[in-house]
Amino acid sequence: MGRKNKRGSSSGEPLQDELYIENLKKVRLSEGVEDNADRLHKMMAECSDFVIREFQMENGVKTLIFYVDGMSNTELVDRVIGSLMIRKGDRTELDEVLNRTLPVSQISESDNFGDCMQRVLSGDVGLIVDGSGRALIMGLRGAEHRSVTEPETESTVRGPREGFTELLRTNTTLLRRKIKSPRLKMKPLIVGKETNTDIVVSYIDGLADPELVKEVVRRIEAIDMDGVLESGYLEEMIQDHGYSPFPQIMYTERPDTASGALLEGRVVILTDGTPFALIVPVTIWSFLQANEDYYERFQISSFLRSVRSLFMFIALTTPALYIAVTTFHQEMLPTTLLLSVAAAREAIPFPAVVEALIMELSFEALREAGVRLPKAVGQAVSILGALVVGQAAVEAGIVSAPLVIVVSITGIASFAIPKFNAAISVRLLRFPLMLLAAVFGLYGIVIGGMIIIGHLARLRSFGVPYLAPVSPLTFSDMKDTFIRVPWWMMKRRPMSLDVRNFNRLGKANESDSRNIGIMGKEPEMTNEDQAPHHGKAKEGEPDRK
């Protein structure tokens, strides 16, 4: 056995730090097949799934092919090997093999181990011909993956039934099927020193703000960590306010939702290995909108959005209002209702705040148990647990019947919020409001509400105000916030996004192509502004042609 060095590897073998892809990019391929094969054997020692096959072409030239078993299409690999073994002719240059022999459509070249291993460990196949000093990377991926199915987390009554999968190329294809335009760009990135996770930043060129795209790419490239296993890693690393309970990045499993965001000038981030795509930038109102709001008629969509906004307020404040009224402000209740509540609470040994905390925590525990249990029994446990525990707690005199009703209404209201991460934020903030109500009554709820509104007002999502278009107020964007006006009235894209073209409906005219600004006031046009624009925009002014 060779002498051990300071890092624990035998002399003559690559150090562990050298096996990072970034470091391997500095290691050039050798012109000899044997040297390359030896280094591959050392790098991939004790890797039973890594295949290294040495063979000779018809003219006796040594050739090396290497791939990961299970991630590459073995039948196509065998076909490539067979075509090389029966190759005729004396010319063995790599270009000759590439142009006249290989039956593969996707081929690229590399002269270092880093690029080779990065592609091969993703499912491609590497080919090295003796004397070339370069490798051909063939796109022969064939790993098993989940088929396209309907998303379980974003079910819909009307709309497409397909959802993203864990395979990145499938997800980009689903987006491309929705937006058949050469302006739809897919910028590839790689994150994670160990996982080397493929990331795709998707946007519509000429529509999305170039500075926004640069900022998204900059934040992703600045991530320096061992691995990225899910898009949630990226979400926490690139969001503006990490300590805020409110999500500043929206995720979705639906290609139609992602496509709609792209058409508004937003940026979509796809991560290999997860069906959840990230959308930036967003506002708080984005989390109250469902994808089928744009498929149903505007009357239905407007009503449902109003109901969701009301339920969000109910989910946040109802337990706190119950505590404040029963503890400090009994005079606010009608006499009949007050007597009924007092009679129900007569035998309860706990104050209202303790009673509410017990029921709220029990409800959260039942909800979490229902999610974690197998699907066949999860729903039954949630429903039966809520009924049995609630009824038993009332009969035992631990909690009052009115509080059970309040907690039930609050839970139903939180489930009406379309996005899970937004509903979780509301449920988290419910507990501080309950404590404030127990100490200060309605004044505590007002103080808590002011703190929440002030916090929301200072939040930004990639530079976009979190409360836009309410704060700052833009009347034109209110058409698609609390309500949804008919499609023929939504001529402009959101003004809060600095997109390159604000028109999305009908023929563009001069007034439609401008940001009408705060409070719906259009800026005055000078003679120069009234003249038609041709060619490149002035410096410092976005080109909105």
Side-chain angles (χ1 to χ4, degrees), residues 58-325:
E58 178 69 19
N59 47 20
V61 177
K62 295 181 180 179
T63 308
L64 174 69
I65 198 167
F66 51 100
Y67 61 94
V68 178
D69 187 22
M71 297 187 67
S72 302
N73 192 319
T74 308
E75 294 182 3
L76 297 180
V77 173
D78 295 339
R79 186 182 304 174
V80 169
I81 295 175
S83 64
L84 292 173
M85 284 184 172
I86 62 174
R87 182 179 183 275
K88 301 292 184 180
D90 296 330
R91 299 183 62 184
T92 60
E93 292 85 356
L94 195 64
D95 294 336
E96 183 70 14
V97 175
L98 171 62
N99 296 328
R100 301 189 59 180
T101 306
L102 291 179
V104 182
S105 58
Q106 298 181 6
I107 298 179
S108 60
E109 295 186 23
S110 176
D111 60 355
N112 62 80
F113 278 96
D115 292 335
C116 287
M117 296 307 298
Q118 180 178 304
R119 295 283 301 277
V120 169
L121 292 176
S122 297
D124 292 336
V125 178
L127 174 67
I128 300 176
V129 178
D130 193 25
S132 64
R134 293 178 295 163
L136 294 179
I137 310 300
M138 300 174 287
L140 302 177
R141 301 185 184 186
E144 295 293 333
H145 60 277
R146 183 170 61 93
S147 60
V148 177
T149 57
E150 182 178 1
E152 294 185 3
T153 59
E154 297 178 81
S155 59
T156 180
V157 177
R158 179 177 181 178
R161 302 293 182 180
E162 57 188 10
F164 288 130
T165 69
E166 288 74 15
L167 195 62
L168 180 62
R169 190 52 59 206
T170 301
N171 296 340
T172 58
T173 302
L174 291 173
L175 282 183
R176 186 69 69 179
R177 288 177 57 188
K178 297 289 184 183
I179 305 177
K180 304 178 181 68
S181 171
R183 299 206 302 168
L184 177 61
K185 305 302 180 183
M186 305 280 186
K187 184 176 179 60
L189 299 172
I190 295 176
V191 180
K193 292 182 290 187
E194 297 287 0
T195 59
N196 293 287
T197 306
D198 291 316
I199 310 292
V200 167
V201 177
S202 180
Y203 62 97
I204 297 181
D205 190 23
L207 181 57
D209 182 12
E211 295 301 322
L212 171 62
V213 177
K214 291 180 182 178
E215 180 64 17
V216 172
V217 173
R218 184 193 67 80
R219 295 189 188 186
I220 295 177
E221 290 180 339
I223 297 175
D224 185 15
M225 60 191 310
D226 288 340
V228 173
L229 302 179
E230 213 274 339
S231 58
Y233 287 55
L234 298 179
E235 181 181 356
E236 286 198 40
M237 296 295 289
I238 67 176
Q239 63 184 353
D240 292 69
H241 306 272
Y243 292 101
S244 174
F246 292 96
Q248 300 125 55
I249 299 175
M250 187 170 69
Y251 61 79
T252 181
E253 279 190 273
R254 301 188 62 88
D256 56 329
T257 301
S259 300
L262 289 171
L263 292 173
E264 286 187 339
R266 307 181 197 269
V267 176
V268 174
I269 305 171
L270 302 173
T271 307
D272 190 26
T274 176
F276 291 96
L278 303 180
I279 298 175
V280 295
V282 294
T283 64
I284 188 174
W285 319 113
S286 303
F287 298 97
L288 295 176
Q289 299 172 0
N291 56 294
E292 60 186 291
D293 288 350
Y294 300 95
Y295 306 146
E296 294 287 355
R297 290 176 298 164
F298 71 95
Q299 300 95 333
I300 301 174
S301 301
S302 299
F303 172 73
L304 293 179
R305 284 190 181 181
S306 303
V307 169
R308 293 190 205 112
S309 301
L310 175 62
F311 279 1
M312 184 177 183
F313 178 79
I314 291 175
L316 180 63
T317 61
T318 302
L321 286 173
Y322 173 82
I323 295 172
V325 170

Side-chain angles (χ1 to χ4, degrees), residues 316-337:
L316 180 63
T317 61
T318 302
L321 286 173
Y322 173 82
I323 295 172
V325 170
T326 56
T327 305
F328 297 100
H329 310 284
Q330 297 90 347
E331 69 278 1
M332 296 181 62
L333 297 177
T335 303
T336 305
L337 179 59

